[in-house]
Every structure is written in C-alpha cells, then in structure tokens.
Amino acid sequence: MGLTVAQKIIQSHILEGSLDAGGDGKEIGIRMDQTLTQDSTGTMAYLQFESMGIARVKTELSLAYIDHNLLQTGFENADDHAFIKSITKKSGIRYSRAGNGICHHVHLERFAMPGKTLIGSDSHTPTAGGIGSLAIGAGGLDVAVAMGGGPYYIENPKILGVKLLGTLNKGVSAKDVILELLRRLTVKGGVGKIVEYFGEGVATLSVPERAIITNMGAELGATTSIFPSDENTLRFLRAQRREGDFIEIKADTDAVYDEVIVLDLSSLVPLVACPHMPDNVKKVSELAGLKIDQVCIGSCTNSSLYDLMTVAAILKDGVVKEGVSVTISPGSRQILRMLAETNILADLLSSGVRILECGCGPCIGMGQAPVSGAVSLRTFNRNFEGRSGTKDAMVYLVSPETAAVSALYGELTDPSDFTKDISFKLPEIYSVNDNMIDAPASVEEAVSLTVVHGPNIKEFPIISALNTDISAAVSIKVGDNITTDHIAPSDAKLLPFRSNIPYLSDYSFAGCDLDFPERAREYGISFVIAGENYGQGSSREHAALVPLYLGVRMVVAKSFARIHRDNLANIGIIPMVFVNPSDYDRINLSDRLEIRGIKQSLTAHKSNFKLINLTKNESYDIITEVSVRQMNYLLAGGLLAYTKQLNQELV
Ligand code: MIC
Ligand code: SF4
C-alpha cells in the first residue's frame, strides 16, 4: 500500500513502535531532526534541559527565538533573554535575537526543510508543514528531551486528507481556506489526526500560503498539518537561496487517507471567525457594515511578504479611516527589510498604519489592548476572550485582504467587492541576512561559559511519587473548550513572569474563577473537573505547572487537547476522562473525590478506575488515556523525577 507524505516522513524517523495505517492509537517514538523554542516557553524548556544535565544538544539543528516578550517594561524579560542566550551559547543552540522575527516565520524562511522532523515549544510549530516538514508543537519538557536526542512520542495518527480543487477567487485567501475547515471541523475536529493536503489545488498555493493553512491547523487541534514538497517548494527555497535543502516528497498515487474532505478553492468566499473561538466562522458578507475600532495585521499566521504587499497594495493612496487604529507587525526582519527596500514601507506609513516590531506583539497581548468594548479585526489565529488584553473586546479573525479593505472603510467589508487592481509581483530572490542569528560556542569554548540565572528565574515545582490512594476536593469546575489562556493567562503584565511560577499562580484560571487560587491553597491538594477539549490552544506548560504549584493533582475531563494532556502527564498531574460524559453533571465544586489503589492500578498498567464521590456517596467510571510510558511518569511524580529514578537505578 502506498504512503502519504506524513507517513513517509514518520516511517523514515521511527525509533520505537511501528507505523500502523488507520491510526490504531498505539504510541510511536520519532527522532526529531530539528527543535525550536521561543522565549515565553523557552525559559522553562531550558531550565528543564539544564536539570537533565545534558551538555550539548544532539539534534541536527536547534534554535532559540526571541519573539514573544519584546516589551521590556521591567528587568524580567531581559533576565529571561539573558538566561536563554547563555544556555544556548553553551549547549550548541543557535539564538535568533529579539527583532529578527517570529519563530515560525524565520524558521520557515531560513531553516525548515522538506522531509525533516521539527518539534517546537509552541503550538504553531506546524507552520513548517507548509514546506513539507513534519513539524509538531509540544510542551517545553518534550522539546528538552528531543534536544537531548530522545524520541518524541505520538499516537499512531489518523491521516485526514484534504483534497484541494480549483483556484482561489479574487479577494479570497489562504486564511479563508483554513477558516472554512474550522467552520466544518471545529476546534476539536483535528484531535489525533494529521491533516494532509493533496489534489490539483495544491499547486496553486505558494509556500507562504500553505504555511498559513498549516499554521492554523493548530486551531483544529490536529497533531500537525502538511503539504507535499513540489515545484513551489523549490521556488521558495531558491528565493531564500536554499535550493540545496530541497527534496521532492509527494504522496504515492495509491496512498490511503483515513478520511477525505474535498474543498473546492473556487467555491470559497471571504470568511471571519467571530468572538470568541476560531471555529465560530461566518461569511464576511453576512456581517458587512460592522463598525470597527482596531485592525491588527501580523502574527505567525498572516505577516508574510505576500500578505504585507497585499495589504500595502490595498492601502496605497488611501488613508486609514478616522477612529480606527491599524497596526502591522511584520513576521520577520527579512520581510520588513524588503518592504523598506522596495519603498512599500513608505506607502504603508503614508496610509496611516502604525508599524510595530517584528514579533508576536498584539497576538499575545503584548501591547495594543483595544478600547473597552472594541471591535478588533485581527489577521491572527486566536480570538479567545480576554487574549487581546481587553476583557470585553470583540475580536474577529480575518484575512489580510479583509483587514486592509475594512481599515479603509472603518467597517467590516468584503474584499471581493474592492474593485481596485492590486496585482503585484513577488521578488524572485529574497534579501537574505542571517546576522541576527548567533552561532553557539564550540565544544571547547563552551566549557568555560556560565549560565546566567537572574532574580526573575525561579525553580519550577516538583511533586513526590504517587501514593496508594488519591483523595481531594474539587477546587474548580469548568465547561467545554477551556483554553490554556483561561488556565494560565498571558498578557503584557503576566508574560514577563513565565519563569516565575509562584507569581503566575495568583492569576490561575483568572479567565474562569477569580477565587480559584485562594480556594486551591486552602484545600492543599485538589482536583479539577472539566468539559470537552480541556487545555486547547497554546503549548504553554504553565497551564499545567501553575495548577500543580497550587496543589492540583488530577483533572477529570470529558476530553483533552493533545499537547495539554501530555504536559499534565509530564509534570505528574493525572489526566482522567469520564466514560459516561453525563457524570460530569453529577459532580459539584468542593465535592470530595477519591480513587483507591491508584498506585497499584497504574503500576499494573490498568487504565480503568472508579472515581468515588464521598460527598454524594456515588461513583463514576473514568479512564486515563495516557500510555504506559506516561503511567510511569505519573507514578514517579513526573518525567524529570522518572528520569532521575531511572538514572539512580542504573548506578
Ligand atoms: C500562543 O499563541 O498562545 C503562544 C503564546 O505562542 C503559545 C506559547 C506560549 O504560551 O508561550 C503557543 O501557541 O504555544
Ligand atoms: Fe506568536 Fe501569536 Fe504565533 Fe503564538 S500565535 S507564536 S503569540 S504570533
């Protein structure tokens, strides 16, 4: 039987287990060729890497990007950067300085390669799937293990084939492709799957357009998304002066997809994801006329040279409507430089756009919190409530075309109605300059280097091995689709404390229940009860570490998002799932719950348990969907404790 693109790459990287078509759910361990970190999850990843005692990375290529924490309102971000700078120099990791661009953009431009595997401590790492790399987002600890040469484990994935037909119409863009998929599949439609694109429509999309689609595959909850590597991939690599990195990878003609969705690009219209979820998708034309206060263009989804040249062509000779604030954060310094070299930057400035630094910026709430009650159009990938920094703002996710045309009119406007000719030609060769990417020290030089731990870098919490029984009260009960932004919020005030778990703990679940931290402290140890798709969104381990610090030892949910479930298991919080989802309704805040003999059951690799509700005198069937490997982590009190235990046994 033939293989798909993803299956071919997995097959050539398998270290443990075997690739079984059909996604049987069994675990496979894959070798990771490349790793990337960014600064908001990177400090944790490197603290964990440091505690593993591995002197040098064992990957083909590892990079640390500084792109999230760029507002240095105090010493904290600078401390984090100094720590990352010093540990990467010593450990053999390249360092992309602040200002060089968003990790996913720079990686796509300069380092991602077809046929390679990449793991990144950021959920949008699948952006590199646009170039034909098998790129997966994970928690920092998993990235630290991969840097040390260890395998990354995924469940044998189902391959969801998306067959693209036709060509996009004027005013419709790659963003609308992924918004349409989100509309059809929802934010949990990709869980346990790799989304692979094929069909004649693929050839009509450039690598940066493909990367928009694979980037936002994260919002589907997919393990990753991938395109084949073809003539367009070669063209992009040539433009980056990297044609030597090209290999062709296409699915075999007899490849079998577990599911197939057909999407005719020519049938698409401009779409918008309405507040407060990326799958709440409507046609722009249905909402046309909605008055807007802010337009933010940028993020790892939509700030390529093509996107920004499109925006500039729309805004040229026009002016941003009075009362609307428009910002652009270019994806990389390469893009900003090329806008400057071609004078397009001048056009943008003339139209009244505010140019921000090359980085994540407003996407992660680092500035540009909109006015109270604002309508904000953003070309980003997430519109979770409060993520913009303004709790009551209404954030709509749109394409750069929709954003730019709407900026001119001051209201949500369908770009297909915009008649001006905006055609332009992309340069054949991009301006390549890697002088903001620092090389690591040689093995010899590294010996004498010290790692800098400023006062903002605090220890991360660890717990002891699991006891025979586990018993505690419910400290919080939450609904469906709770994001990591709800559990561990991030904005300009909190992002500087990503390496300070005690400080962040005071804000835990601030998006759901302000009394949670105090209640959890009062209970000592406690449990969380949750609905479907718990922990969707970011890869931030803080959404596991902060509750752990406050005493949470188990989360019982209707279902989990992949990265968050793995993060919980890695740090020793037990993720459990209701066998009968209706039992969720029977448990209340403060109920006392217990599992007897949990230690023995996990040691025997049993995954079925009885959850006894001592308050209501009843019990429920629950299961843990973690692997045998992760059961060992839970028993030991987390992956780090397990690794130490193994090392002691070996001595
Ligand atoms: C995000 O988009 O939410 C982030 C910030 O990039 C996160 C990482 C983080 O929380 O630091 C992600 O997507 O993984
Ligand atoms: Fe940065 Fe936003 Fe992309 Fe996350 S989604 S990496 S915050 S640009």
Side-chain angles (χ1 to χ4, degrees):
M1 194 178 71
L3 296 178
T4 73
V5 172
Q7 288 169 338
K8 286 183 183 183
I9 303 178
I10 293 175
Q11 187 77 280
S12 61
H13 286 79
I14 283 202
L15 292 176
E16 282 174 37
S18 61
L19 177 68
D20 291 321
D24 64 1
K26 285 203 204 100
E27 246 187 5
I28 41 177
I30 339 178
R31 173 169 51 82
M32 285 293 158
D33 302 320
Q34 303 186 339
T35 64
L36 73 77
T37 58
Q38 38 89 339
D39 50 342
S40 68
T41 53
T43 37
M44 269 310 146
Y46 293 114
L47 282 169
Q48 289 155 340
F49 181 72
E50 195 178 29
S51 81
M52 287 174 183
I54 303 166
R56 300 283 286 190
V57 286
K58 299 199 172 67
T59 46
E60 288 176 13
L61 180 76
S62 286
L63 276 127
Y65 292 93
I66 305 297
D67 54 1
H68 282 62
N69 298 330
L70 302 184
L71 281 186
Q72 287 167 224
T73 48
F75 65 93
E76 292 87 0
N77 292 164
D79 269 18
D80 285 358
H81 297 167
F83 165 65
I84 296 175
K85 171 80 186 139
S86 61
I87 191 158
T88 52
K89 189 94 191 164
K90 194 172 169 68
S91 318
I93 301 163
R94 293 191 211 188
Y95 178 89
S96 172
R97 298 184 207 173
N100 198 42
I102 305 175
C103 53
H104 308 305
H105 265 289
V106 181
H107 204 79
L108 187 76
E109 290 164 355
R110 306 301 310 137
F111 301 104
M113 282 160 69
K116 295 284 181 193
T117 50
L118 164 71
I119 183 170
S121 66
D122 191 281
S123 62
H124 290 103
T125 304
T127 311
I131 211 166
S133 163
L134 191 86
I136 304 180
L141 196 44
D142 284 323
V143 178
V145 169
M147 288 193 286
Y152 178 64
Y153 296 90
I154 55 168
E155 282 157 21
N156 245 311
K158 282 202 165 64
I159 309 287
L160 165 58
V162 179
K163 185 170 186 179
L164 299 178
L165 304 173
T167 318
L168 292 171
N169 287 322
K170 188 183 148 292
V172 186
S173 83
K175 179 68 159 274
D176 301 308
V177 176
I178 189 66
L179 288 179
E180 170 62 10
L181 285 176
L182 276 156
R183 188 186 72 77
R184 291 196 201 178
L185 299 171
T186 80
V187 287
K188 45 183 200 297
V191 176
K193 299 175 190 169
I194 292 182
V195 185
E196 182 166 328
Y197 295 84
F198 69 108
E200 72 209 35
V202 165
T204 68
L205 300 169
S206 67
V207 166
E209 287 176 298
R210 295 173 187 183
I212 292 165
I213 297 171
T214 58
N215 169 284
M216 259 188 103
E219 277 52 63
L220 292 169
T223 302
T224 188
S225 304
I226 193 162
F227 273 82
S229 169
D230 58 11
E231 301 69 32
N232 289 358
T233 320
L234 177 60
R235 189 166 309 124
F236 180 77
L237 283 167
R238 195 175 282 138
Q240 292 289 346
R241 300 188 187 281
R242 295 206 283 132
E243 52 263 62
D245 289 346
F246 176 73
I247 55 163
E248 186 182 76
I249 317 178
K250 288 185 175 159
D252 292 328
T253 42
D254 57 345
V256 179
Y257 302 88
D258 297 299
E259 288 165 60
V260 172
I261 292 183
V262 180
L263 196 62
D264 183 355
L265 298 174
S266 60
S267 70
L268 290 177
V269 294
L271 297 171
V272 48
C274 301
H276 297 285
M277 274 297 147
D279 61 359
N280 187 11
V281 174
K282 298 202 164 61
K283 290 180 184 158
V284 171
S285 57
E286 283 173 54
L287 271 84
L290 178 73
K291 292 272 172 282
I292 58 173
D293 302 283
Q294 186 187 49
V295 176
C296 295
I297 296 166
S299 86
C300 54
T301 311
N302 274 130
S303 57
S304 68
L305 185 66
Y306 173 79
D307 283 340
L308 300 189
M309 283 175 77
T310 306
V311 167
I314 292 171
L315 295 180
K316 192 170 161 53
D317 304 325
V319 65
V320 163
K321 186 81 175 173
E322 184 179 343
V324 182
S325 164
V326 182
T327 63
I328 291 185
S329 20
S332 71
R333 188 174 59 122
Q334 178 184 76
I335 297 165
L336 181 57
R337 238 187 86 180
M338 291 181 73
L339 291 176
E341 282 164 2
T342 48
N343 240 9
I344 291 173
L345 188 57
D347 293 339
L348 285 171
L349 290 169
S350 307
S351 69
V353 160
R354 301 161 63 185
I355 303 289
L356 307 179
E357 205 170 352
C358 305
C360 300
C363 179
I364 188 58
M366 287 302 257
Q368 308 311 317
V371 65
S372 294
V375 169
S376 175
L377 295 193
R378 298 177 165 217
T379 67
F380 307 165
N381 45 43
R382 293 186 171 145
N383 57 349
F384 305 146
E385 192 176 5
R387 184 173 157 104
S388 66
T390 302
K391 177 95 174 123
D392 62 357
M394 304 292 275
V395 176
Y396 294 78
L397 306 175
V398 293
S399 69
E401 288 82 345
T402 303
V405 174
S406 303
L408 287 176
Y409 294 103
E411 56 188 46
L412 188 60
T413 308
D414 187 332
S416 355
D417 300 337
F418 191 68
T419 49
K420 190 173 125 184
D421 175 27
I422 58 155
S423 52
F424 60 85
K425 219 174 141 345
L426 270 176
E428 290 289 320
I429 299 289
Y430 289 22
S431 233
V432 173
N433 181 341
D434 292 333
N435 65 2
M436 279 176 87
I437 298 172
D438 299 336
S442 67
V443 178
E444 297 73 40
E445 286 162 359
V447 180
S448 59
L449 297 180
T450 45
V451 176
V452 185
H453 293 93
N456 189 44
I457 315 263
K458 300 275 187 273
E459 297 277 299
F460 47 88
I462 34 172
I463 52 167
S464 48
L466 199 60
N467 287 330
T468 306
D469 302 334
I470 187 163
S471 178
V474 175
S475 53
I476 189 165
K477 181 175 177 183
V478 291
D480 292 344
N481 291 324
I482 290 299
T483 70
T484 51
D485 280 71
H486 288 104
I487 310 168
S490 250
D491 58 21
K493 295 189 195 86
L494 294 179
L495 213 46
F497 296 96
R498 279 296 185 90
S499 40
N500 189 339
I501 299 296
Y503 184 91
L504 283 185
S505 69
D506 286 338
Y507 301 87
S508 182
F509 281 106
C512 305
D513 178 353
L514 289 173
D515 298 330
F516 168 74
E518 204 185 314
R519 192 180 312 118
R521 280 198 189 96
E522 185 196 318
Y523 288 0
I525 73 160
S526 66
F527 298 155
V528 171
I529 300 296
E532 298 282 2
N533 202 21
Y534 179 73
Q536 67 154 328
S538 152
S539 66
R540 67 187 71 141
E541 284 166 305
H542 306 76
L545 287 167
V546 163
L548 180 81
Y549 180 79
L550 292 173
V552 171
R553 293 293 177 270
M554 179 163 77
V555 180
V556 190
K558 290 185 186 169
S559 66
F560 287 90
R562 174 187 65 90
I563 304 180
H564 187 61
R565 191 200 54 198
D566 290 348
N567 284 343
L568 290 175
N570 279 349
I571 59 149
I573 295 183
I574 308 162
M576 291 282 189
V577 176
F578 288 105
V579 172
N580 303 310
S582 59
D583 286 342
Y584 164 90
D585 300 320
R586 307 190 63 83
I587 303 176
N588 293 336
L589 184 69
S590 305
D591 280 2
R592 188 151 195 100
L593 308 176
E594 186 169 281
I595 303 178
R596 299 199 182 124
I598 187 161
K599 183 173 171 185
Q600 288 72 8
S601 299
L602 284 175
T603 310
H605 303 151
K606 280 172 64 182
S607 49
N608 297 303
F609 302 86
K610 276 270 176 251
L611 180 66
I612 305 163
N613 188 333
L614 298 170
T615 310
K616 300 228 166 64
N617 206 11
E618 55 190 28
S619 66
Y620 324 104
D621 289 323
I622 54 172
I623 51 166
T624 184
E625 293 172 334
V626 302
S627 64
V628 167
R629 175 184 58 86
Q630 290 168 318
M631 286 181 182
N632 291 333
Y633 301 167
L634 294 174
L635 284 163
L639 167 55
L640 287 177
Y642 177 68
T643 315
K644 285 198 183 113
Q645 188 181 304
L646 275 188
N647 290 344
Q648 274 158 12
E649 282 166 16
L650 288 175
V651 174

